[in-house]
Amino acid sequence: MNCYCCSTLPYSQCCEPLHSGLALPKSAEALMRSRYCAYVLKNAEYILDTYSKLEQAHHSVEDISAFADSCKFLRLEIVDSSHNVVEFKAFYCVGHTVGILHERSNFELEGERWKYKDGELFSHPEMKLSRNDPCPCKSGKKFKQCHLKS
Ligand SMILES: [Zn+2]
Ligand SMILES: [Zn+2]
């Protein structure tokens, strides 16, 4: 199975070494992917830890966990990626409603460690899916047999 960040590698060779602290992300995109992956796995400590020092003060493990628990993440799509900017779309669902978190995020290096600094959000209308629609995670299964039930 590929990593939860939708890369072509297994979790053990992608985000797991970053989550366990065995390796540091080599790029802003790698950090972004590992943060998305941490949301899927509800690893709030990792998300808090990878905010920039200034941002960390505005977040807590409780807030991050509450957000991660409020929806199911379906899929990550990288729209654009450069040295310190990554634009992405994270698809999520709450019940039958599917939304897109579309952000252009800025990252910065603190010493050797990439950190999330801030970002600009783009809004998208939410979509209502019915049980028999294809699941937006692109598994090829029907919504009711995939993320609607899991
Ligand atoms: Zn990954
Ligand atoms: Zn699915």
Side-chain angles (χ1 to χ4, degrees):
M1 197 194 111
N2 290 347
C3 188
Y4 307 96
C5 75
C6 305
S7 71
T8 52
L9 295 168
Y11 176 58
S12 62
Q13 290 170 39
C14 186
C15 293
E16 189 175 29
L18 309 179
H19 289 167
S20 61
L22 290 172
L24 289 176
K26 291 188 175 66
S27 64
E29 183 181 327
L31 175 74
M32 191 274 131
R33 286 179 169 281
S34 71
R35 282 172 56 86
Y36 170 84
C37 194
Y39 272 112
V40 177
L41 298 172
K42 303 185 194 300
N43 182 348
E45 284 82 7
Y46 182 82
I47 294 161
L48 185 64
D49 197 46
T50 50
Y51 273 114
S52 69
K53 283 235 160 56
L54 273 174
E55 271 298 306
Q56 253 173 41
H58 305 298
H59 301 274
S60 67
V61 164
E62 290 71 29
D63 292 351
I64 296 165
S65 298
F67 176 63
D69 287 339
S70 70
C71 58
K72 281 183 225 168
F73 288 93
L74 300 167
R75 182 159 60 89
L76 175 67
E77 208 177 281
I78 305 288
V79 178
D80 187 29
S81 170
S82 67
H83 177 65
N84 63 335
V85 177
V86 183
E87 184 177 339
F88 66 90
K89 288 179 180 173
F91 295 75
Y92 63 89
C93 65
V94 179
H96 285 257
T97 303
V98 174
I100 305 172
L101 179 70
H102 181 181
E103 191 181 305
R104 196 167 170 86
S105 312
N106 299 304
F107 297 85
E108 64 187 5
L109 275 168
E110 278 177 9
E112 297 196 306
R113 303 185 59 182
W114 279 105
K115 297 287 185 98
Y116 172 88
K117 196 170 136 207
D118 52 26
E120 181 192 348
L121 284 167
F122 304 92
S123 65
H124 289 273
E126 292 182 325
M127 299 165 278
K128 271 271 186 201
L129 289 192
S130 63
R131 297 165 46 76
N132 289 318
D133 283 333
C135 191
C137 76
K138 293 196 168 168
S139 62
K141 294 182 195 163
K142 288 182 178 175
F143 190 39
K144 68 178 177 192
Q145 288 155 348
C146 194
H147 278 92
L148 185 60
K149 104 179 161 183
S150 68

